[in-house]
Amino acid sequence: MNQPIKTLLVEDDEVDVEAIIRAFERQKIDTAFTIVGNGLEALTLMRSEYKDESLVWPYLILLDLNMPRMNGIEFLQTMRQDPQLCRSIVFVLTTSDRNEDKMAAYDAHVAGYFVKSQLGKDHLPVTKLLELYWQLVEFPPV
């Protein structure tokens, strides 16, 4: 890869944030993380005219579902209705294994749904998948 993977991590749990960042570092995946604690903060950042360089397209979103203020499903539904943001690529990374959450996430066109407890502490399956995804998948044009 010539440039770092740009990743918007929407996660309110600091322990999970650290675990995800460490997983990418252990795999030596060059990742530029931007971290926000809920869906409302993510939308505000994504819609800002003063975007942080790490959010310039292309980027991936890793999204937790269970967050305060605006949860992941509400974020997805709002983002998909926004013509500027609707093509964003989102992977859900959550504790919820509820079928209702899976259906709602896929109805909002997520690229994948991962249950944290099934990934182990090192999050190795997600880091490997996202690295391969970034290398092989053609992103939509800006």
Side-chain angles (χ1 to χ4, degrees):
M1 288 179 293
N2 296 336
Q3 61 185 21
I5 299 170
K6 297 172 193 152
T7 304
L8 175 59
L9 179 55
V10 187
E11 172 65 67
D12 66 321
D13 186 309
E14 290 181 25
V15 173
D16 284 341
V17 168
E18 288 301 317
I20 292 165
I21 291 171
R22 277 195 311 273
F24 279 84
E25 289 172 350
R26 267 195 304 273
Q27 291 301 116
K28 297 181 176 31
I29 300 170
D30 192 9
T31 308
F33 279 103
T34 300
I35 303 161
V36 295
N38 63 61
L40 189 58
E41 289 177 19
L43 287 172
T44 300
L45 181 66
M46 293 168 71
R47 290 174 173 158
S48 174
E49 293 177 26
Y50 309 102
K51 287 189 178 180
D52 180 294
E53 184 64 27
S54 62
L55 279 181
V56 174
W57 186 260
Y59 58 84
L60 296 173
I61 299 171
L62 291 179
L63 177 67
D64 186 20
L65 294 186
N66 303 312
M67 298 177 294
R69 296 185 68 195
M70 176 184 272
N71 69 38
I73 299 299
E74 294 166 330
F75 165 79
L76 282 167
Q77 292 167 342
T78 303
M79 185 193 69
R80 293 299 185 214
Q81 293 175 2
D82 186 319
Q84 300 289 322
L85 308 176
C86 65
R87 290 188 182 100
S88 296
I89 299 167
V90 180
F91 289 88
V92 171
L93 185 57
T94 186
T95 57
S96 175
D97 64 356
R98 295 180 51 224
N99 287 335
E100 298 84 9
D101 287 340
K102 293 174 190 173
M103 295 290 288
Y106 281 113
D107 285 347
H109 309 289
V110 297
Y113 190 104
F114 302 98
V115 178
K116 292 175 186 176
S117 64
Q118 297 173 358
L119 298 174
K121 285 189 153 192
D122 62 3
H123 292 78
L124 185 61
V126 171
T127 57
K128 285 185 173 185
L129 174 76
L130 292 178
E131 181 179 33
L132 189 60
Y133 189 92
W134 186 261
Q135 291 172 350
L136 298 178
V137 172
E138 293 290 326
F139 284 64
V142 178

